[in-house]
Amino acid sequence: MTPKLKFCVLLVILSGAILPGAFAQVKKINDTLPTRDTLVEILRENLQDNIPVISLEENDGQDGSAQNISSQLSAGRDPFLNAATFKFSAVRFRIRGYDADNFNTFINGVPMENLDNGFTPYGQWGGLNDVFRNRETTMGLTPTTFAYGDIGGSTSFDTRASHQRKQTSFNYALSNRNYVHRFMLTHSTGLNMKGWAFSLSASRRWADEGFTDGTFYDGWSFFAAVDKRFNDRHLLSFAAFATPTKNGRQGASVQEMVDLAGNNYYNPYWGYQNGKKRNASVAKSFQPVGILTHDWKVTDKTNLVTAASFSYGKRSTTGLDWYNAADPRPDYYRYLPSYQLDPYYAGLVKEELMNNINKRQINWDALYNANYNSNDVVRNVNGILGNDVSGRRSHYIIEDRIINTTKYNFNSTLNSTVSENVSLSGGITYQSQKNHYFKKVDDLLGGEFYVDVNQFAERDFPSNPLAGQNDVNRPNRILNQGDKFGYNYDINIKKGSVWLQGVFKFRKFDAFVSTEHSYTSFYRYGNVKSGLFLDNSYGKSKVYNFYNSGIKGGLTYKINGRNYLFANGSYQSRAPFFENAYLAPRTRDFVQDNLKSEEILSVEGGYVMNAPKLKIRATGYYTQFKNQINVLTFYNDEFQNFVNYAISNIGKVHAGVEFGAEAKIYKGLSLNAAASIGQYVFNTRQSATVTADNSSAVLSSNDVVYSKDFYVPTPQQAYTIGLDYRSPKFWFINVNFNYFDKMYLDFNPIRRTESAVSGVDEGSALWHQIIDQTKLKSQYTLDAFAGYSWLMNRRFTQLKKRTFLLFNVGVNNILDNRNIVSGGYEQLRFDFAEKNVNKFPDKRFYAYGINFFASVGVRF
């Protein structure tokens, strides 16, 4: 090892950056010189696939004698981020309480979030851990070089072939979670002498039954990438990936049914058919993605990255549908003991449900028999007089609710170092998304046909022959397996944006300021003409346009090279999401009144220490959301009808403190701790307008929802403390204790209205039962991770000969705490007549008991 190389390695270690990004820099200098920490880090990466990788910013100076104090790391595998990603996942913890639409994700330069709801479809690259390791992550309002950024943070994955580790790896994993087995194979060539690089990866994940009864998993993942470096200025990259997946889902249920089953993981979605478990709710997804990226080094100080992507595919979920028949759901409230008025009969029902599993699950035989015994006549099929059909009309079917998505993305980002103290970044983005929503008949369950009619409209408008038709252009259409029926419409969304950012670095201060401007438009296109909404269901709707802007900035005070103080602030507006704007896009093009953009104000400040033996990050934040909207569709007992519940004036405040620390307390032994202490509450009284789902009638207007001071349904407080030991013999173990408090269920807005408590004495026990938000018990978990790396070939001087055998195991919830409510909601129904809260109790999900993930792999 040359003296210069020794100095570089020593500099990285003494800076306290014993992190993957730092060692990536070391390994790039001389890849034939592995170190003990390098091996341990490779092992840790294999276990913790999803922790964002940190990259060190290059020093502004030409050498170590530069006068400027090095800037704060832009992102990191810091203790808090690690905890939020892994330790807090059992209770569906959300960083700062934010919804998923407040974080954005890029892959090879293009944005990946959906335009209809702002969520990132992580499942599109599930199972491809080996090739999705390279990433840059920022938290909060920190500036980035690849985007304006969102208030929660941004992540940029780099899967280009020339940036993949040169390797061949094979891995097998065993688990008792969603899937049981996983095989993964990856081969990356690195950049060859002719400027080509190739990378291939594939995996298979499957389980005949997962942790929960009746669930299953069958997933494949494929990835291919090729790069061509033409010269030191131009790199052209193409990457494509696809993850066809099919899985049986778990449903939430009421506590009464959970107690009768004696199992917190009771799943109402399945039942026995011919002695085998069959799940009625099966999710399927196949949405391939292709990305073309051009990296142009314009000058030594200016770089332009331009990328375009295309994605097409579908995701779907099956479910039961029925016509003129009893509700087939086993946990339907009328089938439970609590609904029975006669105590003796209630006891019989209870005993039967406790002792007969077939009564607690879907009775597939009963559904088939109902269809076998059917003999119906459907008249005037397709509107042709005398064109009648008779036979076994299905009263129960399995329907498939499908969303076909087509997405085009274009993004170009310029980064330029103007001077030693100033750098500029900017970009332009165009996104287009079209979703096609429809249903089709998946299984007739022994029947011969189904009919495309709206049974609720037939009931409500018996004298109107058109009202019950889902498509008046094809009335009384006979359906066979695979035929579309019910709703059928498209959404079309387009968004364009530009952003500009300046970063200014001086000896004691860093500062940045950035701005973004965007334009969003969307509309609905109906493919069928509903008999209920002849003038508002078919064809193109009005186009809705929104101009939005944002500005953010920040200041960092560098106390010295290890201690920093920072403060950032942001204000932005954002167009409403399509799924919240339309009242009932399944049947018509009506939108909420006074549709407008939401506003978001956010500030944060904190302290960071990066010392060799101690790392600390403490951050305080305050975020205010204004003018949010939502639409709920459910059966309303007060109006005895399905309704669309359009909520506006939703305001929220998210405030709190994040803390993370890691201290090296002895040789190889570290103490890590993290805490999130927040208060995420609704700070407005919301307004609700209620319209009938089967008509344009406004049933109630501007109802006040007394939602102020109700909590956002995510843990308000989360804590972890643990020990991490890394042995010089290339093994490690980590043990953490995690604690969660102040958790609440998602609340039903109609219970917080004047009509819900009408006639109830304010402050009485019943009044509190109706109004108060359900608080969950505090919970805890104990987790452990361990791993070992064996260097099978010790000829260090030849990198290509190095072969590692890697063993990893992670065990979560070691104490087998099966009472952790990981999520849930109050049912969107209420007994207005009797004010009986327990008639429609809440539904809950429970976190897994003791569960594990173990893997063994070879890499060379």
Side-chain angles (χ1 to χ4, degrees):
M1 183 183 293
T2 66
K4 184 176 181 180
L5 179 57
K6 289 181 180 179
F7 174 77
C8 291
V9 174
L10 182 63
L11 181 63
V12 171
I13 295 176
L14 291 181
S15 68
I18 303 181
L19 296 165
F23 281 104
Q25 302 296 324
V26 176
K27 288 184 282 185
K28 286 178 183 178
I29 296 172
N30 191 336
D31 224 347
T32 66
L33 294 169
T35 67
R36 178 180 68 205
D37 294 314
T38 302
L39 300 182
V40 175
E41 194 57 50
I42 290 173
L43 169 63
R44 189 176 182 86
E45 283 182 1
N46 192 66
L47 173 64
Q48 298 181 346
D49 291 322
N50 295 318
I51 298 179
V53 174
I54 194 171
S55 59
L56 297 175
E57 295 184 350
E58 295 182 1
N59 197 299
D60 287 335
Q62 298 299 314
D63 55 37
S65 63
Q67 295 298 310
N68 282 4
I69 298 173
S70 62
S71 298
Q72 181 180 277
L73 298 181
S74 62
R77 188 177 288 183
D78 64 49
F80 179 79
L81 183 59
N82 180 48
T85 307
F86 291 97
K87 310 299 190 301
F88 298 160
S89 60
V91 291
R92 306 185 186 187
F93 174 82
R94 304 195 315 235
I95 294 176
R96 300 186 182 181
Y98 294 160
D99 291 330
D101 53 46
N102 292 300
F103 301 81
N104 53 28
T105 303
F106 288 71
I107 298 179
N108 295 353
V110 293
M112 297 302 296
E113 64 268 14
N114 292 325
L115 293 179
D116 53 333
N117 55 21
F119 295 173
T120 296
Y122 293 104
Q124 286 187 329
W125 52 92
L128 295 172
N129 310 52
D130 276 352
V131 290
F132 273 81
R133 295 187 186 279
N134 301 327
R135 69 194 80 177
E136 178 186 347
T137 296
T138 60
M139 293 187 63
L141 304 176
T142 307
T144 79
T145 58
F146 56 86
Y148 176 75
D150 219 326
I151 62 169
S154 303
T155 298
S156 176
F157 291 95
D158 187 348
T159 70
R160 289 176 289 183
S162 60
H163 292 195
Q164 298 290 343
R165 173 192 291 149
K166 185 178 180 180
Q167 65 166 342
T168 297
S169 67
F170 175 76
N171 180 277
Y172 169 73
L174 181 69
S175 178
N176 69 336
R177 298 171 184 169
N178 290 340
Y179 57 84
V180 175
H181 306 282
R182 185 193 73 180
F183 285 105
M184 184 182 298
L185 178 64
T186 300
H187 176 70
S188 298
T189 66
L191 200 63
N192 64 24
M193 297 296 292
K194 295 184 178 181
W196 289 95
F198 302 91
S199 183
L200 299 171
S201 186
S203 73
R204 170 86 195 283
R205 298 166 291 166
W206 78 96
D208 292 332
E209 186 167 59
F211 191 95
T212 303
D213 288 347
T215 61
F216 66 89
Y217 197 96
D218 187 10
W220 294 82
S221 302
F222 306 98
F223 172 89
V226 57
D227 281 14
K228 172 59 177 175
R229 179 171 290 283
F230 296 95
N231 50 49
D232 61 352
R233 297 286 185 183
H234 294 277
L235 174 68
L236 188 64
S237 307
F238 178 76
F241 49 91
T243 57
T245 305
K246 180 179 180 181
N247 66 284
R249 300 173 68 234
Q250 176 188 1
S253 189
V254 297
Q255 192 62 41
E256 181 179 7
M257 199 63 169
V258 168
D259 293 340
L260 290 170
N263 181 4
N264 281 347
Y265 310 105
Y266 165 73
N267 183 8
Y269 285 166
W270 69 274
Y272 281 107
Q273 182 179 353
N274 297 326
K276 296 182 179 180
K277 294 178 180 178
R278 179 180 180 182
N279 196 313
S281 183
V282 176
K284 290 169 284 187
S285 177
F286 181 52
Q287 297 177 292
V289 179
I291 304 173
L292 182 66
T293 306
H294 177 237
D295 194 327
W296 177 23
K297 188 177 181 180
V298 183
T299 69
D300 290 342
K301 295 185 178 182
T302 301
N303 190 70
L304 179 67
V305 177
T306 302
S309 70
F310 173 74
S311 175
Y312 176 79
K314 71 176 183 179
R315 63 186 189 274
S316 65
T317 304
T318 63
L320 288 167
D321 189 31
W322 56 98
Y323 176 84
N324 194 24
D327 196 312
R329 295 171 295 179
D331 59 345
Y332 182 52
Y333 78 101
R334 292 176 179 267
Y335 303 155
L336 301 180
S338 59
Y339 182 77
Q340 315 310 321
L341 299 178
D342 186 340
Y344 175 76
Y345 185 66
L348 294 178
V349 172
K350 179 179 180 180
E351 183 177 357
E352 187 174 36
L353 286 172
M354 290 180 66
N355 298 324
N356 188 347
I357 190 173
N358 292 312
K359 293 294 184 180
R360 298 195 302 267
Q361 306 299 149
I362 294 174
N363 190 335
W364 291 107
D365 289 343
L367 306 188
Y368 273 86
N369 288 332
N371 292 339
Y372 287 148
N373 296 326
S374 171
N375 187 15
D376 291 0
V377 176
V378 181
R379 301 190 181 281
N380 301 334
V381 174
N382 289 331
I384 301 174
L385 189 64
N387 189 15
D388 302 340
V389 173
S390 62
R392 294 199 308 270
R393 175 179 182 175
S394 290
H395 290 273
Y396 297 99
I397 68 165
I398 296 292
E399 65 179 17
D400 202 6
R401 305 154 192 154
I402 300 171
I403 306 174
N404 277 348
T405 300
T406 304
K407 294 169 67 173
Y408 300 91
N409 290 322
F410 172 85
N411 187 52
S412 188
T413 303
L414 181 73
N415 285 280
S416 181
T417 302
V418 179
S419 68
E420 181 180 352
N421 304 106
V422 180
S423 61
L424 295 177
S425 300
I428 182 170
T429 304
Y430 175 78
Q431 298 168 268
S432 175
Q433 179 174 332
K434 177 181 177 180
N435 286 2
H436 179 197
Y437 297 82
F438 62 95
K439 296 195 299 182
K440 72 175 184 179
V441 178
D442 187 71
D443 192 335
L444 289 168
L445 301 181
E448 294 178 331
F449 63 91
Y450 202 53
V451 186
D452 189 14
V453 295
N454 181 339
Q455 63 175 317
F456 300 104
E458 287 181 330
R459 179 202 65 187
D460 294 342
F461 305 99
S463 60
N464 183 351
L466 294 180
Q469 299 300 325
N470 288 319
D471 185 4
V472 296
N473 294 326
R474 295 176 295 175
N476 290 341
R477 185 165 59 96
I478 298 301
L479 303 170
N480 298 304
Q481 185 171 331
D483 288 344
K484 295 180 181 179
F485 77 105
Y487 59 82
N488 188 332
Y489 67 97
D490 301 332
I491 64 167
N492 293 269
I493 311 171
K494 292 178 173 57
K495 180 180 179 180
S497 63
V498 295
W499 64 279
L500 181 65
Q501 173 182 279
V503 177
F504 311 93
K505 296 180 180 180
F506 303 98
R507 183 179 182 278
K508 298 289 288 185
F509 290 93
D510 288 350
F512 80 93
V513 62
S514 57
T515 183
E516 181 185 49
H517 299 265
S518 64
Y519 186 82
T520 305
S521 68
F522 56 73
Y523 65 90
R524 174 191 183 275
Y525 190 95
N527 298 308
V528 295
K529 181 179 286 190
S530 168
L532 290 169
F533 304 96
L534 295 173
D535 299 324
N536 301 97
S537 57
Y538 187 67
K540 184 177 179 179
S541 73
K542 176 184 175 181
V543 179
Y544 296 89
N545 302 299
F546 300 89
Y547 163 75
N548 299 99
S549 62
I551 185 170
K552 69 177 180 178
L555 185 68
T556 298
Y557 174 64
K558 297 176 279 189
I559 302 172
N560 52 43
R562 296 175 179 171
N563 296 273
Y564 308 85
L565 296 173
F566 67 92
N568 303 316
S570 168
Y571 177 82
Q572 68 182 71
S573 63
R574 186 171 69 174
F577 292 116
F578 180 97
E579 65 177 23
N580 297 326
Y582 282 81
L583 297 181
R586 294 168 290 104
T587 57
R588 55 194 184 274
D589 59 12
F590 297 170
V591 299
Q592 290 215 40
D593 295 334
N594 193 26
L595 200 60
K596 58 184 177 181
S597 296
E598 68 173 287
E599 302 173 53
I600 306 172
L601 170 69
S602 185
V603 293
E604 63 181 17
Y607 167 74
V608 173
M609 171 186 277
N610 283 314
K613 293 188 177 182
L614 180 63
K615 284 190 285 186
I616 296 175
R617 183 171 72 83
T619 306
Y621 57 89
Y622 175 91
T623 303
Q624 185 175 18
F625 298 88
K626 294 182 179 180
N627 301 326
Q628 291 188 327
I629 57 176
N630 194 15
V631 176
L632 305 172
T633 299
F634 55 91
Y635 186 85
N636 187 294
D637 291 80
E638 181 181 19
F639 300 113
Q640 296 184 345
N641 208 329
F642 279 93
V643 301
N644 301 299
Y645 205 77
I647 308 174
S648 58
N649 192 38
I650 300 176
K652 296 186 295 183
V653 168
H654 294 233
V657 175
E658 298 167 340
F659 173 81
E662 180 181 321
K664 301 183 188 325
I665 57 179
Y666 192 63
K667 297 178 181 179
L669 182 64
S670 299
L671 174 71
N672 64 80
S676 174
I677 305 171
Q679 181 164 297
Y680 320 129
V681 297
F682 295 89
N683 69 332
T684 59
R685 289 180 174 178
Q686 300 165 9
S687 179
T689 297
V690 187
T691 58
D693 194 52
N694 276 339
S695 75
S696 58
V698 177
L699 304 177
S700 183
S701 181
N702 296 321
D703 285 354
V704 177
V705 178
Y706 294 90
S707 54
K708 189 175 181 180
D709 297 328
F710 276 65
Y711 290 92
V712 174
T714 187
Q716 311 281 311
Q717 297 179 9
Y719 308 87
T720 184
I721 187 168
L723 292 173
D724 189 345
Y725 178 71
R726 299 190 178 199
S727 168
K729 301 296 184 181
F730 310 120
W731 61 269
F732 76 86
I733 185 170
N734 170 272
V735 179
N736 269 77
F737 178 79
N738 316 300
Y739 181 79
F740 313 100
D741 198 9
K742 295 192 69 176
M743 299 182 291
Y744 296 83
L745 287 182
D746 199 2
F747 67 92
N748 175 1
I750 67 173
R751 276 176 50 183
R752 280 78 191 183
T753 59
E754 185 176 349
S755 58
V757 293
S758 177
V760 179
D761 293 334
E762 184 174 350
S764 65
L766 178 58
W767 189 88
H768 281 290
Q769 284 182 355
I770 298 171
I771 295 295
D772 291 352
Q773 188 175 10
T774 303
K775 183 179 181 181
L776 303 174
K777 294 181 180 179
S778 303
Q779 298 293 351
Y780 59 88
T781 62
L782 181 67
D783 305 329
F785 301 88
Y788 173 67
S789 175
W790 177 31
L791 181 58
M792 301 173 66
N793 187 330
R794 295 185 176 276
R795 285 177 288 178
F796 290 119
T797 57
Q798 297 183 19
L799 177 63
K800 294 180 181 179
K801 300 293 185 180
R802 285 205 330 237
T803 302
F804 296 96
L805 188 62
L806 307 170
F807 301 91
N808 301 289
V809 61
V811 183
N812 293 85
N813 198 3
I814 294 173
L815 301 178
D816 201 24
N817 181 1
R818 292 176 172 252
N819 296 313
I820 302 173
V821 179
S822 61
Y825 53 91
E826 295 175 354
Q827 292 192 65
L828 295 175
R829 298 187 68 176
F830 180 65
D831 182 3
F832 285 91
E834 302 296 331
K835 311 296 184 183
N836 181 6
V837 176
N838 297 319
K839 186 174 182 179
F840 304 108
D842 57 65
K843 293 189 174 185
R844 306 183 179 194
F845 293 100
Y846 286 84
Y848 293 159
I850 184 170
N851 60 92
F852 71 92
F853 184 91
S855 68
V856 57
V858 60
R859 178 181 296 156
F860 54 89

